[in-house]
Amino acid sequence: MENNVRQIVLQYFPPENIASVIIKDERVVVTLQNIAEDTKTTNALKEELLKLDNVSRVNIIFTAAKAAPALQQQPEMWRVRGVKKIYAVASGKGGVGKSTTAVNLALALSALGQRVALFDADIYGPSIPTMLGYEKQPAVSLDGKTFEPFSALGLKSMSIGSLIDRDTPIIWRGPKACGAIEQLLTDVNWGETDIMVIDMPPGTGDIQISISQRLKLDGAVIVSTPQDIALIDAVKGVNMFHQVNVPILGIVENMSYYICPECGNRDEIFGHAGAAETADRLGVRFLGEIPLHYAIRAHSDDGKPIVIAEPDSPHAKAYMDIARKLL
């Protein structure tokens, strides 16, 4: 029904003037922006919408769009020596499998012949050392000034999690956290690297803005579950990157479905196709679906993610397909 309503509205008003279309309890609310009120067109639209089944009331609201507040540009860029391209893997909220996606995409890109580095920017909840199996290894500096990246499963990697005890909380305000991110990024001997994948912290706070403004990001991948609550925050993540002029490479739907190992039945536990529909609505690419499966979780916990542990599995192939699209 939502598609039918939107198609009708598009017959009367151009997409840039449609702020939102909301349908609830047989009521349709259309909000328009940056356009003068036209009673004749409005009445015609109302009549057309009221012809639809399950629509008993229509409200059309005219409003001026508020310009998004300008994000302050930082004067000095961070230089990451030896790295050709940098892709951020981000999410609007935590708990959607962003880090698992970042690790497996980095490994998939490596399997496709790229020299890949993985940087853990999720400073308050670093998980990359556990997922790559170097959690108990100390960081190494040969000259006392710069770190050597960890080498694990064919990836170069660095994380604040390798410098602190796993049970120690990081209680830092934004500026200190951003300073640590800068040091860990710029004071590492990355060597010749084709692609760096950055596992971003969830949300749209200080660290995300600083990384987006002070690094030359070549694109961002947004991870979401099909659940409406997650998709609302995913849209915010997309809009944040748009504001700082970072291209959106696409949206990944994680935990897309569950296949019962006993009967083979497929269940869409968190809904289905929500990320694909959101990508289509935002005009960005839908990169693919990753299932909810215990093997993906178990291998990540064991320090050998699914792309390495079971490269011929359908779950690993899902990550490989997304990596090919990125390339």
Side-chain angles (χ1 to χ4, degrees):
M1 177 178 173
E2 181 177 352
N3 287 336
N4 291 338
V5 170
R6 183 169 286 275
Q7 289 301 318
I8 292 173
V9 175
L10 285 170
Q11 294 175 15
Y12 288 86
F13 295 101
E16 62 269 19
N17 295 129
I18 302 172
S20 67
V21 177
I22 299 173
I23 304 170
K24 187 175 182 181
D25 299 331
E26 298 189 356
R27 180 185 180 189
V28 175
V29 180
V30 179
T31 302
L32 302 169
Q33 62 185 10
N34 294 336
I35 188 171
E37 187 169 353
D38 182 342
T39 302
K40 183 178 180 181
T41 304
T42 300
N43 290 338
L45 174 57
K46 284 183 178 180
E47 290 178 7
E48 192 72 22
L49 291 174
L50 288 169
K51 293 178 183 178
L52 296 173
D53 294 335
N54 300 321
V55 176
S56 61
R57 186 177 177 187
V58 176
N59 293 97
I60 300 178
I61 302 169
F62 289 81
T63 182
K66 294 182 179 179
L71 297 173
Q72 184 178 357
Q73 284 294 114
Q74 299 290 343
E76 185 177 349
M77 299 294 288
W78 294 342
R79 294 185 60 191
V80 185
R81 293 180 295 274
V83 176
K84 295 179 181 178
K85 288 186 178 296
I86 304 177
Y87 297 152
V89 177
S91 65
K93 69 190 301 293
V96 299
K98 167 188 55 61
S99 295
T100 302
T101 302
V103 170
N104 280 289
L105 284 183
L107 291 168
L109 290 166
S110 177
L112 293 173
Q114 301 297 302
R115 294 171 295 182
V116 182
L118 177 62
F119 181 76
D120 190 354
D122 194 351
I123 203 162
Y124 298 111
S127 54
I128 299 304
T130 300
M131 291 185 180
L132 292 183
Y134 65 82
E135 187 176 20
K136 297 182 180 179
Q137 297 180 29
V140 174
S141 175
L142 300 179
D143 59 5
K145 298 178 181 179
T146 56
F147 289 111
E148 296 301 312
F150 291 90
S151 180
L153 305 180
L155 301 179
K156 301 171 186 176
S157 179
M158 181 55 69
S159 169
I160 190 70
S162 64
L163 304 178
I164 61 170
D165 184 84
R166 66 178 296 174
D167 296 327
T168 301
I170 295 180
I171 308 173
W172 293 346
R173 295 187 185 277
K176 186 172 183 179
C178 292
I181 292 289
E182 179 184 7
Q183 184 176 2
L184 287 174
L185 266 172
T186 60
D187 291 349
V188 172
N189 297 318
W190 295 109
E192 291 300 314
T193 299
D194 296 317
I195 297 173
M196 172 180 281
V197 175
I198 297 184
D199 179 22
M200 298 280 279
T204 55
D206 285 349
I207 295 175
Q208 295 87 334
I209 294 172
S210 293
I211 290 175
S212 301
Q213 289 184 322
R214 301 186 70 175
L215 275 181
K216 184 185 178 300
L217 293 179
D218 294 280
V221 174
I222 306 297
V223 181
S224 179
T225 66
Q227 191 176 9
D228 288 345
I229 296 298
L231 290 167
I232 290 170
D233 291 326
V235 172
K236 294 176 183 176
V238 169
N239 290 335
M240 185 207 75
F241 283 114
H242 280 324
Q243 287 187 42
V244 291
N245 299 316
V246 173
I248 300 296
L249 301 177
I251 296 178
V252 173
E253 183 172 272
N254 196 34
M255 308 181 199
S256 182
Y257 56 89
Y258 172 74
I259 302 293
C260 175
E262 300 297 331
C263 65
N265 185 55
R266 171 171 169 153
D267 287 323
E268 278 94 25
I269 297 174
F270 298 108
H272 182 61
E277 293 169 0
T278 299
D280 183 63
R281 178 167 61 87
L282 295 175
V284 301
R285 189 175 190 181
F286 178 63
L287 293 172
E289 303 174 341
I290 304 296
L292 175 66
H293 197 277
Y294 76 94
I296 298 176
R297 188 276 308 163
H299 288 309
S300 294
D301 288 348
D302 291 341
K304 197 174 182 182
I306 191 83
V307 167
I308 295 294
E310 299 182 28
D312 295 326
S313 67
H315 322 310
K317 290 178 180 178
Y319 288 112
M320 293 297 296
D321 288 343
I322 293 172
R324 290 188 185 94
K325 291 176 183 177
L326 294 180
L327 289 180

